[in-house]
Amino acid sequence: MRRFLTVGDIGDLHAALAEAKEVKANPFNWQHLGKNKTIIIIFFNSSLRTRLSTQKAALNMGMNPIVLNINGDSWKLETEMGVIMDGDKTEHLREAIPVIGSYCDIIGVRSFAEFKDRKFDYEETIINQFVQYSGRPVISLETATRHPCQAFADLITIDEYKGQIKKPKVVLTWAPHPRALPQAVPNSFAEWMRAAEQAGMIDFVVTNPEGYDLAPEFMEGVKLERDQKKAFEGADFIYAKNWSSYEQYGQILSKDMSWTVDAEHMSWTNNAKFMHCLPVRRNMIVSDEVIDSPNSIVIPEAANRVVSAQVVIKRMLEKL
Ligand code: CP
């Protein structure tokens, strides 16, 4: 594997889940692959889970992880081509990327949407420069439009918690938030769940208010139910997330607290498990009662971030 950006990069989902089980059961079995190999993980934005789980996955594989915080520890980097660099950016990505590539075997990058220009964000200008100029396999650790390590961990978690249900109903629901958040997590979740639906693993429904429809490329073939109650009926998994508007790009159009997932919402479901990628705003996205209930699986979901990252790193090391 040379890149991990979209669901298409993981290939067959049944095989990926089988590999995830193997890696989870025997995390240190492949340390020979990572011996004397280095992964540099680069953060343009804050992180708790991604930062720690990617390092832990690399350590499990016997690798040496190095973390670089852009704008904190390094020079400020210019990301746009063709600009006159007379501002506060000291170095261009065009030089920084191949330099970073020369120090490592694999690169991971976190770079959120900037919300200045939808076209710039949706063309994935930053991660694509890493793919083009680093000469190394590249892992998306959440970019402008996608968060594949999270979505893979989410699928692993659903597979683990579905029990005897052959084809669980999985619902992605918008929920309110005080700040404008990117669409990367719901985009990837929709992309991966649609692929899982096509593989016969789940039924998938998205529910969100008017004005919050995800980009058409992520909703192709996906069932959209505007009535949140109808969407929740019979659900086995509720995945809550806020996102800002795609149509009115990056805007907050509503903070309607009737969309907050509380005990009444969960009573409409088939005793559903509650999921969220974290960090979560309590009593905005989800009530204390729900996230603290036995049906909340947000902690094992976060723990599976090590597993998803390790499968990806393992596949990259196997192809070096
Ligand atoms: N879910 C997730 O990516 O968490 P962090 O932003 O803390 O890495």
Side-chain angles (χ1 to χ4, degrees), residues 110-253:
R110 163 161 288 195
S111 168
F112 288 170
E114 293 181 1
F115 284 148
K116 286 188 227 153
D117 176 358
R118 189 169 85 179
K119 186 166 176 291
F120 178 87
D121 288 342
Y122 270 71
E123 283 179 352
E124 288 288 10
T125 310
I126 293 176
I127 191 95
N128 284 337
Q129 289 188 64
F130 276 91
V131 170
Q132 193 173 354
Y133 301 125
S134 69
R136 298 285 178 255
V138 174
I139 306 173
S140 162
L141 301 177
E142 186 172 344
T143 62
T145 68
R146 287 177 171 90
H147 196 354
C149 288
Q150 179 66 53
F152 186 17
D154 296 335
L155 182 63
I156 293 166
T157 309
I158 289 167
D159 190 50
E160 283 177 354
Y161 281 84
K162 70 182 183 195
Q164 298 306 309
I165 304 170
K166 268 206 149 114
K167 219 182 200 193
K169 178 178 175 182
V170 178
V171 176
L172 167 63
T173 181
W174 180 92
H177 195 279
R179 297 181 57 195
L181 297 188
Q183 294 116 28
V185 168
N187 282 347
S188 265
F189 191 74
E191 185 177 60
W192 282 69
M193 292 305 122
R194 177 64 184 140
E197 188 171 59
Q198 287 177 313
M201 295 174 173
I202 63 161
D203 278 326
F204 180 51
V205 177
V206 177
T207 184
N208 58 257
E210 294 272 0
Y212 281 100
D213 291 359
L214 296 171
E217 63 261 39
F218 292 101
M219 288 301 288
E220 210 178 310
V222 173
K223 293 183 278 295
L224 174 64
E225 172 54 69
R226 290 228 180 273
D227 183 329
Q228 194 189 27
K229 187 173 183 192
K230 273 192 193 154
F232 274 45
E233 281 166 6
D236 301 298
F237 291 89
I238 296 296
Y239 193 98
K241 185 73 184 83
N242 173 268
W243 60 90
S244 60
S245 175
Y246 171 77
E247 294 157 44
Q248 296 180 57
Y249 191 58
Q251 300 297 306
I252 298 174
L253 308 179

